[in-house]
Amino acid sequence: MSEIAAPAGAQDALAALRRTLPVPAAPHYGADQAFLPWAYQGALLAEFARSRSIAPQEWLTRCGVTPGQMLSTRQLLGMLAALQPLARDVGFVVGQLSLPGHYGLASQALQQAGDLRQALRMLCAWPARLSPLLTPRLIETDDELLLVWTESCGAPPTLQPLLVDMQMSAVVAMVQWLGGAAAGGRPLPWTFSFNRTRPREISQHAAYLGADLHFGCQVDAMRLPLSHATTPWPSAGTGRPAMALGALEQGADPEAGWRGQLAALYDHLLAEVGGEHSLERSAQRFGVSPATLKRQLAQLGTHHQAQLDQVRAHAALYLMTLRGQRGEAVARSLGFNDKSNFRRSFRRWTGMTPGML
């Protein structure tokens, strides 16, 4: 066994990553919890179906959804899944119409953001209203922003690419609408990373997102130089975002800050990465028995070890690629006393060794 010295630099960098977590821990929603008003995402999907001459009643009956009812994320996913074979561009088009949206105070605050960084912070602060199907996580460095998309309440593997495309196109379209004048009408130089193999046809990705597309990556993420995120938008200085944000922060829409169960588990595991982590500790976080949490995760198509591996992989990638930490220091920060064991685990997580990275 090869012991690794304690790395202060890596620990400091990991502490910076943990500061992206909500404090205090946000309440969570389950996949079957109906808390989304129909007038929000449900009406948006129904309008898209109508625009493509898809009979709303037949489509909704097939989804088991009644117009006007409160929706769960599982029902929203079912609606998207039913549209997917009928319209190949559903993710991109619905994404373009999604933000800032018409989701109450959260949308009002987003519409009056002073710049892109403030808008992205709002997006991450109020995900249950603005992005209930995928959870955005904003990482800031000295010279760039990284917006990472992680699971919220689980989604079928066949639907995950659509969700990523939808949320990325939502952000791109929002920025172009709210901040286009600040950028002179030019698209921002986003770099897009996708955690999937390159599809045969990427013309829609190029049309809706841009040309800087990278497939076969370890995360679904959008990167942008920080200078483009701090240029004031036309709405800056109106004073209205403070009113909407103040109302949100005072609890006017308490559900807006909720997080999906998988996102809440991710938060918990990241907060404890490098320390003790077990199914029992995670179950205690959610106030359920280990057997119940295990069953809940199985219903979402995953398990505790898979979620832990994802968090450790993301933390390792962050430390090495954005913070320039060496593999040995990263291993120690993640709780590995044996660098060989870390190397094997990293290869299992990512398909490559730390040296290859």
Side-chain angles (χ1 to χ4, degrees):
M1 179 179 291
S2 175
E3 292 293 333
I4 308 170
Q11 291 290 2
D12 291 342
L14 194 55
L17 181 61
R18 290 193 181 104
R19 285 196 289 272
T20 65
L21 299 176
V23 178
H28 71 279
Y29 54 87
D32 294 309
Q33 185 170 350
F35 71 98
L36 295 166
W38 169 265
Y40 291 0
Q41 288 84 0
L44 178 61
L45 292 181
E47 182 57 35
F48 172 82
R50 189 177 296 108
S51 72
R52 297 301 174 87
S53 300
I54 299 171
Q57 195 56 51
E58 179 183 345
W59 162 62
L60 291 174
T61 299
R62 193 162 62 247
C63 300
V65 172
T66 302
Q69 74 177 90
M70 298 290 283
L71 297 172
S72 67
T73 56
R74 196 184 301 279
Q75 288 172 315
L76 272 182
L77 290 172
M79 293 167 71
L80 278 168
L83 288 172
Q84 188 177 27
L86 303 176
R88 288 181 56 247
D89 60 350
V90 57
F92 294 108
V93 175
V94 170
Q96 279 203 319
L97 302 173
S98 294
L99 293 177
H102 303 281
Y103 317 130
L105 285 171
S107 289
Q108 292 177 32
L110 200 57
Q111 289 172 18
Q112 297 300 321
D115 57 34
L116 174 55
R117 179 164 62 176
Q118 184 183 25
L120 294 181
R121 288 174 175 174
M122 292 179 188
L123 183 65
C124 296
W126 316 110
R129 290 297 182 231
L130 301 173
S131 179
L133 299 180
L134 281 184
T135 299
R137 300 174 182 277
L138 183 63
I139 299 172
E140 303 182 26
T141 69
D142 293 337
D143 56 6
E144 72 172 354
L145 295 181
L146 181 69
L147 188 65
V148 179
W149 298 96
T150 63
E151 288 189 280
S152 177
C153 274
T158 55
L159 203 60
Q160 187 70 15
L162 182 150
L163 296 181
V164 172
D165 295 343
M166 184 173 73
Q167 294 309 126
M168 287 187 175
S169 60
V171 171
V172 170
M174 175 194 73
V175 174
Q176 191 64 20
W177 182 45
L178 296 179
R186 297 182 301 274
L188 295 183
W190 292 103
T191 297
F192 301 90
S193 301
F194 300 91
N195 185 19
R196 63 182 189 261
T197 58
R198 179 186 176 94
R200 289 184 179 180
E201 177 59 56
I202 62 169
S203 59
Q204 288 188 344
H205 289 83
Y208 286 96
L209 301 179
D212 200 353
L213 307 167
H214 302 267
F215 294 89
C217 301
Q218 305 303 322
V219 293
D220 294 302
M222 308 166 63
R223 298 175 71 159
L224 185 73
L226 183 61
S227 58
H228 291 277
T230 54
T231 302
W233 282 357
S235 57
T238 64
R240 291 174 58 188
M243 296 174 60
L245 282 176
L248 286 168
E249 291 167 352
Q250 292 171 21
D253 183 1
E255 296 175 349
W258 287 6
R259 300 168 84 78
Q261 185 170 13
L262 291 184
L265 179 58
Y266 186 110
D267 296 342
H268 166 74
L269 294 173
L270 180 57
E272 298 199 343
V273 72
E276 183 181 350
H277 36 69
S278 65
L279 176 65
E280 289 72 23
R281 286 182 64 86
S282 296
Q284 185 178 17
R285 153 67 179 88
F286 289 104
V288 298
S289 69
T292 296
L293 179 59
K294 185 176 181 179
R295 183 176 66 254
Q296 291 173 345
L297 294 178
Q299 291 172 346
L300 298 177
T302 187
H303 53 84
H304 189 264
Q305 186 62 49
Q307 295 302 304
L308 176 60
D309 287 348
Q310 180 189 61
V311 170
R312 290 167 122 187
H314 286 180
L317 291 165
Y318 163 78
L319 292 172
M320 286 189 280
T321 61
L322 294 184
R323 294 293 183 172
Q325 297 294 319
R326 295 174 61 85
E328 293 185 357
V330 174
R332 187 71 173 186
S333 295
L334 298 186
F336 290 87
N337 291 323
D338 183 345
K339 61 183 180 183
S340 297
N341 188 19
F342 169 69
R343 189 161 50 245
R344 287 192 298 271
S345 295
F346 188 83
R347 188 174 192 117
R348 177 169 56 85
W349 300 336
T350 66
M352 65 182 71
T353 66
M356 293 168 60
L357 180 66

